[in-house]
Structures are given as C-alpha cells and as structure tokens.
Amino acid sequence: ASHELRTPLSTILLSSESLQINYDHLTETQKQFNIQRINLTARQMSRQINDLLLLNRSEFQELEFQPEIFNLKDFCQKIIVEIQSTTDHPIELEFSPKLTQVFLDKKLLRSILINLLDNAIKYSPVAIPVQLRITREEQNIIWQIQDSGIGISPDDKPHIYNPFYRGSNVGEIGGTGLGLAIVKACIQRHKGKWEIESKLGQGTVVTVKLPIFE
C-alpha cells in the first residue's frame, strides 16, 4: 500500500516541478497535459486513501450504512464515465429496463463497482471490453462484472478476500490487494451476497446480489 501511494505522489511532484521550472518555456498544450496528469493522479491517490480508511472502519465495525433513494442507471453511467476518463479500456453496460429508483448506500455501492471494474480492467487485455450487466431478480439487484483476463488460480481463490493479498499470477501489474476486501465489507454492510467464478487465462465473472427497496 505504501508503494502504491508513493507512485502517484511521485507523479504529482514531478509534474508540478516541471510546471514550476519550465512554465515560461512550455506550450499551452504541455501545461494542460501536466495539469490534467496532476488532477487524475490526485484523484487516484484520494481513492486509495479512502479505500484504506473504509477498510479500517469495517474492521472496527464502524462502517456506516446510509441508504438513500436514487436513479440507479444514472448512477452507474456516471461511474463508467469517471473510470473511462482514466483508461481507454471499453466498458459495455447492459441495464434492465425494470430498474429505476432504488434504496441503497451510494458511497458503498460506488466502492463496490469501482473496485470490481478496476480489477476487471487491470487484469484483462485492452482490446476486449469489460462487461457490466445489471438486472433485477424479485427484490434483489444483480450485478455481473465479466472480463477476459488472467483469471484466478484455485490456490489463490480462498485468500483473495484478505487485505493486501494478491494473486500469484499478477506479475508486474500494480495494486494494493485491497479491492476485494473492500468489496466484501461493502456487500456485507448491505446484507448482500456475492460469488466469483474464474479460470486461469480465461477471465473472471463476479456476481453481486444486493437486496433493494423501491
């Protein structure tokens, strides 16, 4: 986690120093590039810190649950736009017309979707879209996030929910190993269920089921 925080911090410092030292010699395009990189990296760093705080609160049973009524489709589309601003990896959304207003905790749901989509993007080839399917089953919402990535080995699967644990096949792909631990905590706070199906080299499908009230 320390390494994953130092990397974006170094990017921010280098970009800001470049602006400060070379400001009069940089073109407007170069200035905007540095500003944008600082902005995107700061947001990434903020999310990592929030993840650490969220996980810490869940471990001490202090994770708040504050559901509210909102439009689910608008909410999911905004998250996809946010993620797509930082990556060229396509995300395809399939949304059931039966879903409209829901009563869920937006903050916790956001952590669930961002961490699962981030993992799917991180561990799969850019050319193949990540699939996000959202359907309704009686009084439950079903999310399915599917990728065609490296998959999870049977030996790793029992441990992937533990904080800071990373799969043996991730290689040089960066990460803190917090994503699935955070997802687990947020789903438990919703009194939901989830499962992961995965095969090495063939991708992963994560299915999340949360109870809803309209």
Side-chain angles (χ1 to χ4, degrees):
S2 175
H3 170 75
E4 289 298 315
L5 288 172
R6 281 199 300 266
T7 301
L9 181 58
S10 297
T11 300
I12 292 170
L13 290 172
L14 288 171
S15 297
S16 60
E17 286 173 2
S18 175
L19 277 172
Q20 185 177 23
I21 296 170
N22 305 306
Y23 190 85
D24 292 334
H25 305 289
L26 294 174
T27 66
E28 192 61 32
T29 300
Q30 290 172 325
K31 291 174 186 177
Q32 288 302 316
F33 174 80
N34 278 283
I35 291 169
Q36 185 180 29
R37 184 162 59 175
I38 290 170
N39 182 274
L40 291 174
T41 309
R43 282 196 290 169
Q44 174 192 351
M45 196 172 180
S46 175
R47 202 185 98 204
Q48 290 171 337
I49 292 170
N50 287 337
D51 282 350
L52 286 167
L53 293 173
L54 188 152
L55 190 61
N56 185 62
R57 288 196 298 271
S58 73
E59 288 178 348
F60 288 94
Q61 298 182 341
E62 296 174 352
L63 188 59
E64 294 181 346
F65 181 63
Q66 299 178 326
E68 59 185 286
I69 297 173
F70 61 95
N71 184 291
L72 183 61
K73 187 173 185 179
D74 290 346
F75 177 80
C76 293
Q77 287 176 330
K78 286 178 182 177
I79 286 181
I80 291 174
V81 169
E82 178 183 340
I83 293 173
Q84 298 275 227
S85 70
T86 62
T87 178
D88 294 327
H89 201 127
I91 301 173
E92 294 183 351
L93 173 64
E94 294 180 25
F95 198 93
S96 170
K98 297 179 181 180
L99 290 168
T100 52
Q101 303 292 103
V102 294
F103 187 63
L104 298 168
D105 187 305
K106 292 174 75 173
K107 185 176 180 181
L108 299 185
L109 180 58
R110 184 178 187 278
S111 291
I112 291 170
L113 293 179
I114 284 186
N115 277 291
L116 290 179
L117 287 170
D118 183 59
N119 275 356
I121 289 168
K122 187 187 302 181
Y123 298 115
S124 58
V126 177
I128 304 177
V130 166
Q131 306 286 334
L132 172 58
R133 291 183 288 272
I134 306 173
T135 57
R136 176 171 176 170
E137 182 184 277
E138 298 179 346
Q139 287 301 308
N140 293 290
I141 297 180
I142 313 296
W143 282 269
Q144 274 198 331
I145 295 90
Q146 182 173 358
D147 66 63
S148 303
I150 62 175
I152 303 167
S153 77
D155 291 337
D156 288 326
K157 194 172 181 181
H159 310 289
I160 56 175
Y161 312 100
N162 299 331
F164 304 109
Y165 185 88
R166 304 199 68 216
S168 56
N169 60 330
V170 300
E172 298 298 318
I173 302 172
T176 60
L178 292 176
L180 293 183
I182 289 166
V183 170
K184 179 181 178 181
C186 293
I187 291 173
Q188 288 178 335
R189 200 67 184 86
H190 273 96
K191 297 183 179 179
K193 300 177 181 179
W194 68 316
E195 62 179 6
I196 298 178
E197 298 178 12
S198 186
K199 291 184 179 180
L200 278 175
Q202 297 182 36
T204 300
V205 179
V206 182
T207 303
V208 176
K209 180 185 292 188
L210 301 182
I212 60 169
F213 300 94
E214 294 186 326

